[in-house]
């Protein structure tokens, strides 16, 4: 995979690809666009690329504030819907009329919403440990607003302290991330390499600390269902046996999905890191099946 930069209207996103974005595709292989989860980056899919690059045109991005991408401007925060706008600007730069989206966690939610808004641009949808927008009861709207603003106030008060936080070695950063995700360090090494920077002998996280601020609003179940039921592309859900249980709670009926299938594999929320052979085989079979 080679490094690429996507120039959006307000910022630049870092990416990786195995084909040229500046000329027409020289093969008829499907284009798979990978979207990572919260505080991850494009490298979370590196073990899948090794297994898929012969069969597909692959491209992945670091979302704003993640990995090697630019952060949002200092007077802005990370509104969920803005990611969908970012994704659209990326897709408009690809030399393909239709793409397949592969999203993990937050990336899966972004992919779902985008597919509902732009069905003509999406062939298939692979959602790993993620599905629909997060929802809350309408009665919680005011409390959500208050919590979101409070989290921003706390960020502003502690921003200088957060900037000063440092780690003594890459191994320390890797161990911290492994502890948080409850995964072996070997699974996370590519992710942590792309997520850290070394300055004056110390290691720092690259991601924007504003990512930790809570959302000021969430959708209701009715709104989420309206989005999910509008998706025309076939949806393939890959979930871990020890991942988020709500993802296995009959989502097709819950969200009135048009074309939906799901597989449960051994693993947790990052099952694609734990079982790259299984997940890559699932993706290959699903894309090939839909093309036949």
């Amino acid at each position: 995979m080679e490094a690429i930069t996507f120039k959006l209207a307000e910022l630049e996103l870092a990416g990786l690809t195995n084909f040229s974005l500046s000329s027409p595709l020289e093969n008829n292989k499907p284009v798979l666009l990978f979207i990572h989860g919260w505080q991850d980056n494009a490298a979370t899919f590196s073990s899948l690329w090794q297994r898929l690059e012969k069969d597909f045109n692959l491209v992945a991005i670091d979302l704003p504030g993640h990995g090697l991408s630019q952060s949002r401007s200092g007077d802005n925060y990370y509104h969920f819907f803005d990611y969908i706008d970012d994704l659209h600007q990326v897709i408009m730069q690809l030399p393909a009329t239709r793409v397949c989206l592969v999203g993990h966690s937050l990336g899966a939610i972004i992919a779902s919403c985008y597919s509902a808004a732009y069905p003509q641009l999406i062939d298939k949808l692979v959602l790993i440990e993620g599905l629909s927008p997060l929802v809350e009861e309408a009665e919680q709207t005011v409390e959500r607003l208050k919590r979101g603003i409070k989290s921003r106030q706390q960020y502003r008060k502690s921003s200088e302290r957060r900037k000063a936080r440092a780690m003594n070695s890459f191994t320390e950063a890797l161990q911290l991330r492994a502890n948080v995700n409850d995964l072996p360090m070997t699974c996370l090494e590519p992710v942590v390499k792309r997520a850290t920077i070394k300055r004056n002998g110390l290691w720092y996280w690259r991601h924007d600390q504003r990512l930790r601020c809570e959302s000021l609003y969430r959708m209701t179940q009715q709104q989420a269902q309206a989005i999910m039921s509008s998706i025309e592309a076939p949806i393939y859900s890959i979930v871990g046996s020890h991942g988020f249980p709500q993802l296995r709670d009959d989502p097709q009926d819950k969200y009135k999905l048009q074309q939906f299938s799901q597989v449960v594999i051994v693993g947790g929320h990052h099952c694609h890191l734990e079982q790259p052979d299984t997940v890559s085989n699932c993706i290959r079979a699903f894309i090939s099946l839909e093309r036949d």
Side-chain angles (χ1 to χ4, degrees), residues 31-48:
V31 175
L32 272 59
L33 172 55
F34 291 81
I35 314 164
H36 64 80
W38 181 68
Q39 290 199 116
D40 278 348
N41 54 61
T44 190
F45 300 110
S46 59
S47 58
L48 299 183

Side-chain angles (χ1 to χ4, degrees), residues 44-159:
T44 190
F45 300 110
S46 59
S47 58
L48 299 183
W49 298 333
Q50 299 169 17
R51 295 160 171 82
L52 295 172
E53 59 185 355
K54 290 184 179 179
D55 301 316
F56 302 100
N57 294 304
L58 308 176
V59 61
I61 56 172
D62 293 334
L63 293 170
H66 296 75
L68 305 182
S69 286
Q70 290 182 339
S71 297
R72 299 208 186 278
S73 61
D75 59 346
N76 207 342
Y77 285 83
Y78 291 85
H79 304 288
F80 168 74
F81 289 112
D82 287 338
Y83 289 127
I84 302 170
D85 180 21
D86 299 328
L87 178 60
H88 185 61
Q89 293 182 67
V90 168
I91 289 179
M92 290 297 95
Q93 297 181 45
L94 299 179
T97 56
R98 294 171 67 87
V99 301
C100 304
L101 298 181
V102 182
H104 170 245
S105 194
L106 169 64
I109 301 172
I110 296 168
S112 291
C113 291
Y114 185 84
S115 298
Y118 292 95
Q120 72 278 15
L121 301 178
I122 305 302
D123 262 340
K124 294 103 187 170
L125 204 53
V126 178
L127 308 179
I128 305 172
E129 272 291 304
L131 187 66
S132 76
L134 301 180
V135 301
E136 285 182 341
E137 297 294 332
E139 291 75 14
Q140 295 177 277
T141 301
V142 174
E143 182 59 29
R144 164 63 54 185
L145 180 60
K146 290 166 59 179
R147 286 172 55 186
I149 293 174
K150 182 179 179 179
S151 73
R152 293 185 181 188
Q153 293 173 325
Q154 291 173 333
Y155 160 76
R156 295 183 186 112
K157 290 179 180 179
S158 62
S159 60

Side-chain angles (χ1 to χ4, degrees), residues 221 225 229 249-258 260:
Q221 175 68 27
Q225 186 182 93
S229 63
D249 187 20
D250 195 12
Q252 184 164 23
D253 181 66
K254 184 177 182 180
Y255 293 107
K256 310 304 179 186
L257 304 176
Q258 296 184 36
F260 179 81

